[in-house]
Amino acid sequence: MPNIGKPDLSEMLAQERRARLAAERLLDQKSRELHNANRKLSAHARLLSDEIIVKREEAKTFQSEAENLKGENTQVRADLQRANKQAVKAERRLWEALETIQDGFAVFNPRNQLVIANHSYMNIFDGLDSIRPGVTYPDILLLLVEEGLVDIGFEAPTTWQARMLARWKHDKIEPITLKLWDESYVKLIDRRARDGDMVSLALNITETIRYEEQLKEQRSRAEAANRAKSSFLANMSHEIRTPMNGVVGMADLLCDTDLSEEQQLYAETIRSSGETLLVIINDVLDYSKIEAQKLSLNPAPFDLERTIHEVLLLLKPSAQERGIDLLIDFDMFLPTRFVGDPGRVRQILTNLMGNAVKFTLEGHVLIRVTGFPGENGNHELRVTVEDTGIGIPAEKVDHIFGEFNQVDDERNRRFEGTGLGLSITCKLIALMGGEIWVESVEGEGSSFGFSLSLPTDEDTAVRVPSVETGLNKSALVVDDQQINRMILERQLSVMGFQVSSCRSGSEAMTTKSGSFDLIVTDYKMPDMDGLELSRRLRSRGEVAPILLLSSAPGDFGTLASDCGVNAVLQKPLLRRDLFRRVAELGIAMPEQNPAVDGQSEKSTSGGPPDKAGSGPPMTILAAEDNKTNQLVFRKMVGGLNVQVTFANNGREAVEAFQAARPDIIFMDISMPEMDGKEATRAIRAIEANSTLANVPICALTAHAMAGDDEEILASGMDHYLTKPLRKAAITAMIEQYLPGGVALHAPATTLSEEK
Ligand code: ADP
C-alpha cells in the first residue's frame, strides 16, 4: 500500500534522479554555453590583441612622424632666421651701395609718391624739408621750378612741368638732361617696373659735359689749325709747282737734244725726280684734304668717254715704250655724257689706268665701261681696268688699299709710287657712293673695277651711223688681238655691217677680193703689218676703203696713202671717231648726236685720206706771263705743224683772240692784269654774241688744290693741264683739235712765232 503521508523512496530516488538528470542537462548546457562564451571571448581577445598591436604600431609611426615634424620645424625656423638675416644684410649692402654712388636713385610707388631716395638724389633738392617719402612727383617738379633748382631756359614753368609729367607716361621713357642751379648736369633715366613702381636714376654727367665742351673747343682749334695747314699746303704747292714747271719742262726739252749717254741719264733723272716729287705733293695734298673731310664733290656735266680717252693719251707714251696696247671698250649703247665731278672721276681713272700701265710689262690694258639705266634717271656704271701685268699676290690684295701700302716684293720694288693712289681712289669712290673691287692673279694680271651711279646729261642716247638699209654691207676686221677684234666687230655690227674677222694679214689675204665694203686693219701685227696688208690688198685689186688703226705716234706721212690706206685712226679709238670716219667714207649715214660728236666736230671735216705735211699750220694762242714758261711751251710744240702767238696776260689774250681767231687757246690761270678765268669769260661772252663756234680753251694751271679744276671749267674752259707741262700732254691736246686736212707734224720747219 502506498504510503500517503511520506513519499516513498523510489519516488524520491526517481525525483532525485530526474532532478540530477535535469541538473546534469543544465550543467551540460551551461558548460556548452560557457565553452561557447569562452571561445567567443578568446576570439575577441585575439582580435583585441591584434588591434592593440596595430594601434601600437600606428602610435609608434605617429610618434616618429611627430618627432620628424618637430625636427623639420626647427630646421625651417633656423632657415627662416638665416634668410631673414641675409635679406637684411643684402638690403643694407644695397642701400650702402646706393648711398655710396654719386648718382641719384629713387623709387616711386604706382601713385607716383616717393618711397625711397638716396642722398645724391636728395642733394638735388638742396636740403628742402618737403622732399621726403610720400611727396608726389608733380609736387617735386613744382618745387624744382619754384625754388629755382633747375634751369628750364626760356620755357614757361607750366610747359616744362607738363612736358616732364607727360614724359613719365610714355611706355619707353627717353633719358633727359637737366642743368641744375649749381651748374651741374644730371641725366634722368626712368623706368616703370612691372608692379607699377617707377625707378628713377639721376646720373651726374657734369664731368662728361665739361669734357665735351673742352673737346668741342679743342676740335674747333684743331679745325682752325687744319684750315691754316690746308691753305699753307695750297700756297706751298703753288710755290713749288711754278719753279718745278721750269725744272721739269726744261729737263724734258733737254732730253730731246743731242746729249751724251751720261748727260741723257742726268737729264732723265732730273725730269723723272721732278715729276715724282709733284705726284707726291699732289697725293699728300689730296690725302690730307680727304682726311680733314674737306673734300667735297662738285658735280658738273662731263664726257666720260672723252675723259677716259684723254687719260689714255697721257699714258700712251709710257705704254708705247713697252709696246703695250691701250684699248677702250665703251658699251655701244651707253651715253657718254654724265653729271659727276669731272676732276675727281679723271683722278680715279688716272690712278687705276696709270697703275695698270705702270705694272704691265707686256700685253695690254683694257678699259671697259658698261652700264644700264637705273632709278631716277641715273645710269649704273661699271668701269673695269684690266691689265696683263705682274698681278698682286692674294694675301696682299686687301693691303694695297691702305695708306702708303705697296706690295713689297722684288718685282714691285722696280716701280715708283707713294702707295697713296689707291687709298685716295678708294675714298673718292666711296664719297661718290660707289664701290671698288679688284681681282688679280699673280703673274697674270689684275682687274680693278668700280661702280658709280651717275645721272645722264640731257638726252644723250647714243646714235650711231647706220649703213643704208637693205644694202647688206659687209666689213672685214683684221687684228691679231682677240679683244680688239671683238670690240671692233661689235661696233661695226651695231652700224649694220655684216662683220668677218681675220687674225693676221695672211689670213686676210685668203679672203675673196671685192667681198667687203670696208676693211679695218690694225697696224702692228706679227707676220704682216697693216700697211703691208693694205698694199697687197690694193695690188690684187681691192677697192673697199681701208681704215688703219695704229698706236704709233704720228700718221705715217705719205706712206699710208701710198699703201692705199684711206684713213689712219689713232688707238685708243673713240666710238665717235670710228663712226665719223666710216660716215665720211660714204658707206654709212651719219647721225647727229651732240653726245657723240661734241667738241671734236671740227677736228675732222671729212675729205680725202690724211696727207702728211699738207694744209696750213694749226693756229695756237698761248697766254702765259712767265718768259721761261713761254720758252718751254714754244720748245714743246717745236716740230709740230703749228703757228703760236703768245699773249703776256689775259687782256692781251682777249685782244689777240679778237684780232685772229685761233684753232686752240692755251691759257695760264694766274697772270697779272687779267687772269685766265676772266679772259676766258670775256672770250666766251664775245663768242655768245657771234655765230662762231666756241674755240677750245685749255687751262694751264699750277694750282693743285681740289676744287680749282671745277672753278676753271666753270669759267668756260674745256680742259686743263697741270704744270709742269709735258710735251706728250700738249701734243695730245693739239692732236685732239687738229683741223681737218691739217697734218700734225710739219714736213719742214713751219713753226712761226709772233711776239
Ligand atoms: P703706288 O702705285 O703709288 O705705289 P697705289 O696706292 O696706287 O700706290 O698702289 C698700291 C700698290 O698696289 C702698288 O704699289 C702695287 O704694289 C699694287 N698695285 C696697284 N695696282 C696694280 C696693278 N694694276 N697691278 C699690280 N699691282 C698693283
Side-chain angles (χ1 to χ4, degrees):
M1 164 147 59
N3 188 355
I4 306 172
K6 254 199 190 179
D8 71 19
L9 187 59
S10 66
E11 183 65 21
M12 272 175 61
L13 280 175
Q15 274 183 344
E16 202 178 309
R17 209 174 39 240
R18 276 195 305 270
R20 208 180 59 226
L21 272 173
E24 269 175 8
R25 267 198 309 270
L26 192 67
L27 185 70
D28 192 37
Q29 188 192 342
K30 287 297 170 194
S31 88
R32 258 198 326 271
E33 276 177 12
L34 189 66
H35 181 73
N36 276 347
N38 254 345
R39 224 180 44 221
K40 268 187 194 165
L41 198 64
S42 78
H44 192 64
R46 238 185 357 260
L47 213 74
L48 263 179
S49 115
D50 283 353
E51 263 178 34
I52 285 168
I53 291 171
V54 170
K55 290 290 172 206
R56 202 176 287 147
E57 286 296 314
E58 276 179 4
K60 254 195 213 158
T61 317
F62 285 146
Q63 196 178 355
S64 85
E65 272 178 7
E67 267 161 22
N68 277 351
L69 278 177
K70 203 165 133 201
E72 270 175 26
N73 204 8
T74 325
Q75 178 69 32
V76 167
R77 205 174 293 142
D79 286 352
L80 200 64
Q81 262 174 5
R82 213 174 18 249
N84 248 341
K85 262 193 207 160
Q86 278 173 353
V88 169
K89 200 164 150 190
E91 193 182 325
R92 199 188 60 233
R93 272 189 186 151
L94 184 67
W95 195 239
E96 274 168 9
L98 287 173
E99 282 296 351
T100 314
I101 56 170
Q102 298 292 307
D103 302 311
F105 173 83
V107 178
F108 292 79
N109 67 17
R111 275 165 287 132
N112 293 342
Q113 289 169 312
L114 182 65
V115 181
I116 46 166
N118 68 357
H119 269 98
S120 304
Y121 194 89
M122 299 303 281
N123 282 347
I124 297 174
F125 306 97
D126 199 29
L128 268 186
D129 287 343
S130 37
I131 304 292
R132 56 171 177 261
V135 64
T136 64
Y137 184 62
D139 283 344
I140 293 180
L141 293 175
L142 196 69
L143 279 168
L144 279 172
V145 179
E146 274 180 359
E147 299 289 331
L149 295 170
V150 66
D151 181 355
I152 60 169
F154 296 105
E155 200 171 355
T158 47
T159 321
W160 183 81
Q161 286 155 16
R163 185 161 62 82
M164 293 294 286
L165 267 182
R167 184 176 158 269
W168 261 27
K169 296 199 176 104
H170 293 152
D171 286 343
K172 193 175 176 297
I173 307 168
E174 288 299 320
I176 190 167
T177 300
L178 302 181
K179 185 180 177 191
L180 302 182
W181 57 279
D182 58 355
E183 299 287 307
S184 63
Y185 290 85
V186 287
K187 182 179 191 174
L188 294 182
I189 299 174
D190 305 286
R191 198 172 72 81
R192 186 71 71 186
R194 242 180 274 159
D195 58 2
D197 278 358
M198 178 68 88
V199 181
S200 184
L201 277 179
L203 305 182
N204 186 340
I205 55 164
T206 315
E207 284 300 307
T208 319
I209 298 266
R210 301 250 183 288
Y211 187 59
E212 266 173 22
E213 278 167 2
Q214 276 174 12
L215 275 185
K216 255 187 225 158
E217 201 185 309
Q218 279 169 4
R219 194 171 68 192
S220 77
R221 251 187 273 144
E223 275 169 1
N226 201 36
R227 272 195 300 277
K229 186 193 77 184
S230 285
S231 79
F232 170 75
L233 281 175
N235 288 336
M236 277 297 288
S237 104
H238 181 80
E239 297 306 320
I240 295 172
R241 290 184 140 262
T242 307
M244 281 309 277
N245 184 33
V247 175
V248 177
M250 284 298 185
D252 196 14
L253 291 172
L254 194 60
C255 291
D256 275 355
T257 58
D258 208 4
L259 298 177
S260 71
E261 215 170 277
E262 196 180 3
Q263 288 166 331
Q264 186 76 31
L265 177 72
Y266 297 163
E268 287 282 358
T269 311
I270 296 172
R271 182 177 64 178
S272 66
S273 308
E275 284 181 347
T276 310
L277 181 61
L278 283 161
V279 170
I280 295 172
I281 291 173
N282 279 348
D283 279 358
V284 171
L285 267 176
D286 269 345
Y287 187 74
S288 57
K289 198 137 200 215
I290 292 173
E291 278 299 276
Q293 299 192 332
K294 284 279 165 226
L295 195 130
S296 52
L297 298 173
N298 293 288
F302 75 106
D303 186 323
L304 179 62
E305 194 180 4
R306 180 183 289 270
T307 307
I308 293 175
H309 198 247
E310 283 171 4
V311 175
L312 277 185
L313 286 182
L314 290 180
L315 296 171
K316 214 170 145 181
S318 50
Q320 238 152 27
E321 267 170 30
R322 274 171 269 157
I324 302 169
D325 262 320
L326 300 179
L327 310 168
I328 307 181
D329 183 8
F330 202 101
D331 189 338
M332 287 305 296
F333 297 101
L334 198 64
T336 55
R337 290 189 65 83
F338 296 94
V339 180
D341 187 323
R344 294 301 171 187
V345 170
R346 177 189 290 261
Q347 191 175 357
I348 293 168
L349 290 168
T350 306
N351 178 258
L352 295 182
M353 285 149 67
N355 275 349
V357 171
K358 181 161 81 174
F359 294 106
T360 302
L361 303 175
E362 55 181 359
H364 68 260
V365 170
L366 166 67
I367 291 85
R368 244 187 244 280
V369 186
T370 55
F372 57 90
E375 284 166 20
N376 313 328
N378 273 20
H379 255 77
E380 306 301 322
L381 298 173
R382 285 169 75 94
V383 182
T384 53
V385 181
E386 299 167 21
D387 65 53
T388 52
I390 63 169
I392 303 160
E395 70 278 8
K396 294 283 171 68
V397 166
D398 293 333
H399 169 83
I400 55 167
F401 291 107
E403 294 83 46
F404 302 104
N405 285 352
Q406 299 176 312
V407 175
D408 188 22
D409 67 12
E410 273 307 309
R411 294 176 319 143
N412 202 66
R413 246 172 259 152
R414 283 176 293 169
F415 305 97
E416 285 178 348
T418 56
L420 269 179
L422 278 179
S423 143
I424 294 173
T425 298
C426 244
K427 291 194 160 113
L428 286 178
I429 291 171
L431 205 62
M432 294 180 185
E435 273 180 49
I436 185 167
W437 61 89
V438 57
E439 284 163 27
S440 187
V441 179
E442 201 180 353
E444 286 184 22
S446 314
S447 167
F448 283 79
F450 63 94
S451 61
L452 281 186
S453 173
L454 295 181
T456 40
D457 180 32
E458 64 221 22
D459 173 25
T460 55
V462 175
R463 273 168 258 141
V464 291
S466 54
V467 293
E468 287 166 55
T469 44
L471 288 185
N472 236 355
K473 302 257 174 178
S474 58
L476 175 69
V477 169
V478 190
D479 200 316
D480 57 313
Q481 277 215 34
Q482 195 244 338
I483 298 175
N484 229 7
R485 277 199 310 273
M486 209 181 67
I487 300 173
L488 281 168
E489 277 170 18
R490 225 174 32 221
Q491 289 176 336
L492 290 169
S493 51
V494 167
M495 287 189 228
F497 283 102
Q498 298 281 329
V499 190
S500 314
S501 47
C502 295
R503 290 152 199 260
S504 65
S506 30
E507 196 184 331
M509 287 305 293
T510 63
T511 59
K512 228 173 107 222
S513 212
S515 34
F516 300 103
D517 302 286
L518 172 71
I519 296 168
V520 182
T521 174
D522 190 34
Y523 166 62
K524 207 182 104 209
M525 291 184 290
D527 66 335
M528 184 193 302
D529 70 28
L531 282 179
E532 177 60 17
L533 170 66
S534 177
R535 201 184 55 72
R536 290 201 201 175
L537 285 171
R538 289 288 183 236
S539 60
R540 77 168 195 193
E542 184 62 69
V543 288
I546 300 178
L547 289 182
L548 182 78
L549 302 182
S550 157
S551 331
D555 47 17
F556 301 105
T558 50
L559 195 58
S561 47
D562 290 350
C563 291
V565 170
N566 293 64
V568 179
L569 288 178
Q570 282 294 321
K571 286 203 290 187
L573 185 61
L574 276 178
R575 292 180 302 171
R576 64 174 136 251
D577 288 344
L578 177 69
F579 296 163
R580 186 179 292 114
R581 286 301 177 142
V582 172
E584 279 167 9
L585 292 170
I587 320 164
M589 306 294 287
E591 292 237 359
Q592 285 306 309
N593 176 19
V596 173
D597 294 342
Q599 296 150 332
S600 64
E601 189 67 51
K602 67 193 275 302
S603 67
T604 47
S605 54
D610 291 353
K611 283 233 164 42
S614 67
M618 181 182 185
T619 51
I620 296 176
L621 172 61
E624 169 66 71
D625 61 316
N626 184 301
K627 290 289 173 207
T628 313
N629 288 346
Q630 282 191 8
L631 177 68
V632 171
F633 188 89
R634 191 186 303 142
K635 294 287 182 192
M636 279 184 175
V637 296
L640 298 181
N641 187 20
V642 294
Q643 181 182 11
V644 186
T645 305
F646 279 110
N648 293 308
N649 56 44
R651 186 185 46 75
E652 280 186 21
V654 178
E655 285 167 10
F657 167 78
Q658 279 174 306
R661 191 180 177 281
D663 291 317
I664 187 168
I665 302 177
F666 287 93
M667 183 82 83
D668 185 26
I669 294 296
S670 6
M671 287 186 290
E673 278 190 60
M674 184 190 268
D675 73 15
K677 285 181 265 183
E678 213 181 324
T680 304
R681 280 192 286 271
I683 290 171
R684 293 295 181 230
I686 296 166
E687 287 171 337
N689 291 325
S690 75
T691 52
L692 291 172
N694 281 8
V695 61
I697 304 182
C698 176
L700 305 177
T701 170
H703 288 252
M705 288 301 278
D708 292 342
D709 44 355
E710 291 82 23
E711 240 181 74
I712 288 165
L713 298 176
S715 70
M717 302 199 192
D718 304 289
H719 304 275
Y720 69 92
L721 293 176
T722 42
K723 291 180 181 177
L725 300 182
R726 286 158 184 90
K727 196 170 169 181
I730 300 240
T731 311
M733 194 57 69
I734 290 173
E735 205 174 357
Q736 192 177 333
Y737 289 103
L738 202 64
V742 175
L744 182 62
H745 294 280
T749 46
T750 52
L751 171 70
S752 61
E753 293 155 18
E754 291 165 23
K755 283 209 170 160

